[in-house]
Every structure is written in C-alpha cells, then in structure tokens.
Amino acid sequence: MADTLSLFERRFALLLSILLAAMGMTMVAAARHGVMAVHGFITIALGVGLVLALGRVYYSAPPVAERAGRFYDAPTRLGIAMTLIWAIIGMGAGVWVSALLYWPDATPAVPWTSFGRLRPVHTTGIIFGFGGNALIATSFHVLQRTSRARLAGSVSPWFVLIGYNLFCVWAVTGYLMGSTQSKEYAEAEWYADLWLVVVWVTYFVLYMRTLARREEPHIYVANWYYLAFILVVAMLHIVNNLALPLRLNAAESLPVWSGVQDAMVQWWYGHNAVAFFLTAGFLGMLYYFLPVRSGRPIWSYRLSIVSFWGITFFYIWVGSHHLHYTALPYWVQTLGMTFSVMLLVPSWASAGNAIATLNGAWNKVRDDATLRFMFVAAVFYGLSTFEGSFLAIRPVNSLSHYTDWTVGHVHSGTLGWVAMIVFGAIYTLVPQLSGRETMASSRAVEWHFWLAVAGTLIYVVAMWNAGITQGLMWRAYNENGALSYSFVQSVEKMAPYYLLRTIGGALFLAGAVICVLNCRATVLLAKGEAADRPLVRQPAE
Amino acid sequence: MLRLHYNLEKVSMGLVVAIIVAASIGGIVEIAPLFTIDETVELPDDLRPHTPLELAGRHIYMREGCYACHSQMVRSLADELDRYGPYSLPSESAYDHPMLWGSKRTGPDLARVGGKYSDDWHARHLIDPRSVVPASIMPSYPWLRRPLDTELLRERLETLAKLGVPYDEAMIGASQADALAQSRPDGEGADAVRARYGEKVVIRDFDGDPSRLTELDALIAYLQSLGTLTDAPYTILKASSADIPDGDGHE
C-alpha cells in the first residue's frame, strides 16, 4: 500500500501512524485498566504496525510520475479484503448465536461467549464491518469511474479505511468485555463514536474533493445515494450517540436522552440505519454495478430521480413504527405508519427500475451467476420493502412486533438484498482489479449463489413461521376468557424453527467462505491491475 | 422539475444541501415536540429514581445484553395487560438514560417483573435457568457470583443528576454506602436508604449470601424494582376500568 505514496505522503502517513500510536498510549496511561486500556493497546499495535509497514518501503522508488493517469484502486482492494474478513466474523457470530437459541448450554459459561455479548458482535460485524467496508470500498471505485477522475487524496483513503476498521474492532472487542451503550446498532462507547465522526468527516471531504475533480458534468445517480449515505449516517450517528462519559478515562457513558425521547431518537436512528446505511448506500452499488454487469443502461432516469428523493424524504419519518402501542405519543406512531406505507412507492420504483434494466439481458441473468446475485438482490429488495410497509401497519404490528417475524424481515433484507448485492459487486470488482476477465472459479460462484439463495429462503420461512406462531400464541384466549398459553410454552414451540434458522444461516455462511477462497485464488492469479484509465486534461499546446 | 434536477445534479454542494434538507424534515417534526414532554407528560408524585444498587444492577443488565431478548414495555393490548399488568406509561422511564424498552421478546417482558418472583428464584434462575424453568433457553450467568465493582457508582449518580434525574448531594455522596446497605436489612444504613429513596425500596440480602455484595445482589435488586417505581400505572388503569360498566376494562 505505501509504495503508492510519494515521499512527502509517506512522511505524512508516518506522522499519522505515530500520532495513532501516541493516542493509544494516552488511552492506556489514562485508563490503566479495563476496556479503554485494552483498546489503547490495540491502537498502539496498529500504529506500530503501520510505522513498520511504511518503514519497509520508505526508501523504495516513489510511484511513477503518471500516477495521476491511473485510478487509485489499492484502497478498494484493502476494503474488499476487510469486507470478506468481517463477513466471516459477522456471519460466523450470527450462526453461533442462533445455535445458542437451540442449544443454550453450548457455550462455556464464561462471560465473553454469552449470547448477550455475542449478539452485538454479529450485528455490528455485519452492518458496520461487512456492510460498511463494502460501501466504502465500492464507493471509492464507483466515485472514480463515474467521475473519470482519480481519488483526490493519497493518504486520506487509507485513513478512512483503517480508521473505520479501528472503530469496528473497538466496538466488537468492547462488547465481548461488557462495554456497551445498549442502544441497538449503536452499542459502541463514546470515544469510539467520536473517532467515527473524525473518520466520517475525512470520508465526506475526500468524496466532495473527488467530485470536484470530475470530468463529467453530471453527478451519476450512484453518487447521490453514496452521498445520502455519508451525510445522513453522520447526522443520525451524532444525534443518537450524544452522551456524557462517566469519566474521561473510562469506557462508560450515559446517553443524554431518556425514556420516550430516547426511544424515539433510538428508532429514528435504528430505522434510518436500515435506510441510509443498509439501503441508500447499497442502492448506489446497485445503480452502478447492475448496468455495468448487464451491459444495459438504467431503464429510467426519471424514475431514479423520483425514487431517490422519495427514499431520502420519506424514510426519515418511519422510525416510530417500531413503537406502536407503546408509551410514545399516538400521533407520532400514526405518522410513522403513514410514511411507512407511502415509502413503498419509491422503494418499488427503485426495485422496478433495476429489474426493468435487465430487459434485453435476461440471457445473461440465466448464464451469469454474478448478475443473478444482483437480480435476486433487487427482487429481495422489493419483497422486503413490501413486507416492511406491511409490518408497519398498526394492527399487523400488534401481532408481529417483539416476535421473530421482525428478525425474519430484517434478514430477508440483509441476506437477500444487502449481502447479495455486495457479492454481485465483489464478483464484478475482484477480477477487474486483478486484470482478469473472470473469477478463478465460475463454478464456485454458481455454488455460492445457490447456497446463498437456499440459506436465505430457509432462514426467512423459518422465521415467518416462528414469528406468527409466537404472535398468535401470546394473544390466544381460551373459552374461559383466560390466556391459553404461558410464555414458556411459546418458547418451546420455537425449537424446530430455531434449528432451521441455524441451518439456513450456516448455508449462507458456507457460501461466503467459498467466496473468500475464490477471491483469494483470483487475486493470486492476478494478471495486473484494472485496465481502465481516468480522463486527464492535457495542457494546451 | 426535470430541468431543475438536471441542473442540480451538476452541483455537488447543491445536492448536499438538498439531501440534508430532505432528510431533516421528518426527524424535526417527530422528535422536536417530544422535548416539550415536561409539559405534556406528568411525572407522578410518587415516582422515585433507582437506588445506587439498582443502578449497578441496571448496568449489569445492559452489559450482558438482557435487553436483546427482554422488552420493558407493556403495550396497550388486552393480552399484554392480562399477561404482564398495566400498560407502560411514558413517565415510568423518564429517568432512564438510556431507555430499555427493547425490541424483541425471546423471553417475556420484564416491565412489571418486580415482586413477581422471590429473590431466591431469581438467584437460581440467573445462575442456572433450567433448574427452575426446564424449557428455558436463557443463557446461564454463573459469573454473577463475583463481587460487585462499585468504582464508578458515584460518577453514575453524578452524571444522571447532571442530566436531570433528581439525585441530591446526599444521595451522590452516600452512593457506595447505600449500595451495600440495601443488601443488609439488619445493618445500620438500611434506614438511611429508606429515608433517601422511600419506604417502598426493597432492602434484602438478595443473593442469599450476607457476607458479600455481589453482582447478583445488584441485578436482583434491579429486577425487583421494575414496575415498582410508581403506582401510577395501576391507579390509571383502575380509574379507566371504573368508567366502563361492563366488559373487561381493557382498551
């Protein structure tokens, strides 16, 4: 990585690495023990590792002068590698915690292997580790190609990626040691949150500076989505994580919000983490890689405008549908429900636009598993947004809420939509960045596809059954007007579904393992780097 | 419109501003009014904040991720009222930073679990759930027998006081002593805890081991306090059932 930097940039990167190690030392010195000290040690190790990596190539020949005439793909490669590593960690943790619901005594009775601590490892590992790295890596690629310009920085892409992964590692190791804010999908403690803000601002500045260099008058639609992802996630992250640390040298804090305000802010964040992290960013991915892979332009430009602004405007309102029949004021619940139903329009406009783009390329969908990943992603996007609007309707929600139906819904989105589009993008990118036409093994891609589809279907169907069973059992009355079932009876009924869910998840994980091996084999067989080049303005004669 | 957008998408800062505006409106409309909640949600007179020992227990509840499987929010639905008790009021979690309403019931709701089971039941259940509920799929928490770390308890109360929870100087100053005293019913500090937090505070040797203050003590004290911080939900439900001559009195 460092060999792509000029001598000045190497010095600057060295300085940043030393500062990082110094930050780690400060954390260790201030905290002395506990979670923050461990995080300090991790940071020192990272800083020292980066110094060594830079030192090794410090005196090597600086990059060729015509560097500006090439796309900067090295950060994307690291991002894809991190995506795959986090996929295995996050999905592995998911399969394991799901197995724990079937075999509750399967883990040794030590704190860090407990369900409650591993569960956020799964959610953070997937959303931030797998999803986030995939978004950053592909955004660098898409931004450069659609702007026909090289990234506007040489050190900052590395800072964004490495800094972001440091956040993920802090978060996940913190949970294992029992450090958590307990806000779902925002469990990381206060200093990790602050660090993420620094990383995110750098990311935004890099994005804007690169856009400013573009050689295309128009900003392509994929970039609108990536921009919405960057901007709105920043807004959500900052507001939801406002907290007072108990002490500046301890990994514990209390959110400034309480009770009903906290619930509203949390689900405003929680649902828009789905919207702007797990949807907007990945739609950006879809709008670039689907046309590229199928060789067809996006079906309707107008529809993409309508759906983009519809999604950006409507989604923000819908978080309160997580709080139907609770102590949240009724009118806020009603607004959340109404906008959730309206949201179906822009959501289906996006899904329909994607599927219509494939018109004329259906033979490719049949033959090319990579394109099939993207097609299935668009279909699952349409299905899960329909389900989402449906579940947000108050009476439906009275049955589904608190049950495994919600879990099934989330996974039809994350497995069926998010992960499938990521794999489609990876199978497009990895050969291209290796200067190859295809992955090392096309059969392996085919295997991965069917394992992923089978795993998703088994998972989702099991959770539908589980959730509806729970909802019906909890509200059943007998002829005497008493509740028919005790709570634990509904727990007993879950066993077969929880087992099936574990099997579905394991199939999906197996597919991801195949993907990792295939990507590794492809990179080892690399014939060079990406062949395409940015437009470079020539000085006037 | 299309012409406007045609021009907008050539200006990156224009897109940025438009995205921020479009994505802010919903949040502002839904969240901002909730900050007038001091005027719209009445805090019951008998509402008390958690004691230091209960707060320590709440921290353990969060640390172990209990909220991932247990909600603390009884919805206003007939079966929930029959199963768990009166529906939850916004005032009940007014002092909770953060709230622990939860989103999933792999296990039952805990908003009204205080006083429902004995301390001994809780202790056995937390150490080995299947010894008291054979079909339970809850994890075992044998490490809760270790001594309670009260290092940050004072800071916890102090920080909550800064955020508006009514802890006074005396409560903050005595936080560590009160935590120990709440598990020593025959000790000297028990009366002081009652004087500070009210007569209804449960003062017991929660884990059955009087020699040590353990994490189990704190967590059980917290669980026994759930739903008991105010009587308001019960009085409101009683008042509303009285209005309906016949029927089951639920919504």
Side-chain angles (χ1 to χ4, degrees), chain B residues 212-226:
Chain B
R212 300 187 312 151
L213 182 64
T214 63
E215 295 194 334
L216 207 51
D217 277 315
L219 185 54
I220 297 175
Y222 172 63
L223 291 171
Q224 296 291 23
S225 79
L226 288 176

Side-chain angles (χ1 to χ4, degrees), chain B residues 43-64:
Chain B
L43 290 186
D45 293 334
D46 65 339
L47 180 67
R48 72 165 172 92
H50 282 294
T51 64
L53 187 63
E54 292 160 6
L55 274 185
R58 189 169 203 270
H59 175 62
I60 296 166
Y61 183 96
M62 287 160 52
R63 183 189 76 192
E64 301 302 341

Side-chain angles (χ1 to χ4, degrees), chain A residues 386-469:
Chain A
F386 172 77
E387 187 182 34
S389 298
F390 181 63
L391 292 177
I393 298 169
R394 198 181 266 121
V396 181
N397 195 268
S398 77
L399 181 91
S400 73
H401 194 52
Y402 295 134
T403 74
D404 279 300
W405 193 350
T406 313
V407 181
H409 167 59
V410 173
H411 283 83
S412 102
T414 46
L415 300 175
W417 153 233
V418 171
M420 297 276 188
I421 190 68
V422 170
F423 290 132
I426 284 179
Y427 286 134
T428 310
L429 267 182
V430 170
Q432 192 195 340
L433 297 185
S434 311
R436 292 171 53 91
E437 292 289 310
T438 58
M439 292 291 294
S441 164
S442 306
R443 274 175 64 87
V445 182
E446 201 67 50
W447 269 94
H448 180 193
F449 174 79
W450 290 108
L451 281 170
V453 170
T456 307
L457 287 177
I458 293 173
Y459 190 112
V460 172
V461 172
M463 289 297 96
W464 278 339
N465 282 290
I468 294 171
T469 305

Side-chain angles (χ1 to χ4, degrees), chain B residues 145-157:
Chain B
R145 288 251 182 242
R146 68 190 175 194
L148 180 69
D149 178 5
T150 54
E151 192 194 335
L152 286 169
L153 209 46
R154 187 196 163 88
E155 282 86 348
R156 198 170 287 281
L157 266 77

Side-chain angles (χ1 to χ4, degrees), chain B residues 34-125:
Chain B
L34 295 179
F35 289 92
T36 59
I37 207 125
D38 297 339
E39 293 138 48
T40 52
V41 175
E42 207 180 339
L43 290 186
D45 293 334
D46 65 339
L47 180 67
R48 72 165 172 92
H50 282 294
T51 64
L53 187 63
E54 292 160 6
L55 274 185
R58 189 169 203 270
H59 175 62
I60 296 166
Y61 183 96
M62 287 160 52
R63 183 189 76 192
E64 301 302 341
C66 305
Y67 62 88
C69 293
H70 293 284
S71 58
Q72 288 184 24
M73 173 49 60
V74 182
R75 296 180 295 174
S76 52
L77 297 166
D79 58 291
E80 301 216 350
L81 271 65
D82 285 339
R83 191 179 296 279
Y84 301 116
Y87 57 85
S88 300
L89 300 179
S91 55
E92 286 182 89
S93 49
Y95 297 149
D96 286 354
H97 297 263
M99 58 85 209
L100 294 172
W101 292 10
S103 61
K104 176 72 172 56
R105 286 180 186 156
T106 304
D109 187 273
L110 299 180
R112 311 244 169 268
V113 82
K116 210 168 163 182
Y117 301 94
S118 68
D119 297 337
D120 184 46
W121 185 91
H122 276 300
R124 286 165 192 269
H125 184 245

Side-chain angles (χ1 to χ4, degrees), chain A residues 64-104:
Chain A
V64 282
E66 61 271 25
R67 184 176 76 166
R70 298 246 174 102
F71 287 124
Y72 198 18
D73 288 330
T76 307
R77 286 197 191 93
L78 174 69
I80 292 176
M82 294 313 298
T83 305
L84 293 170
I85 291 170
W86 280 107
I88 302 303
I89 296 172
M91 291 176 197
V95 173
W96 185 243
V97 292
S98 120
L100 282 179
L101 289 175
Y102 188 73
W103 294 284

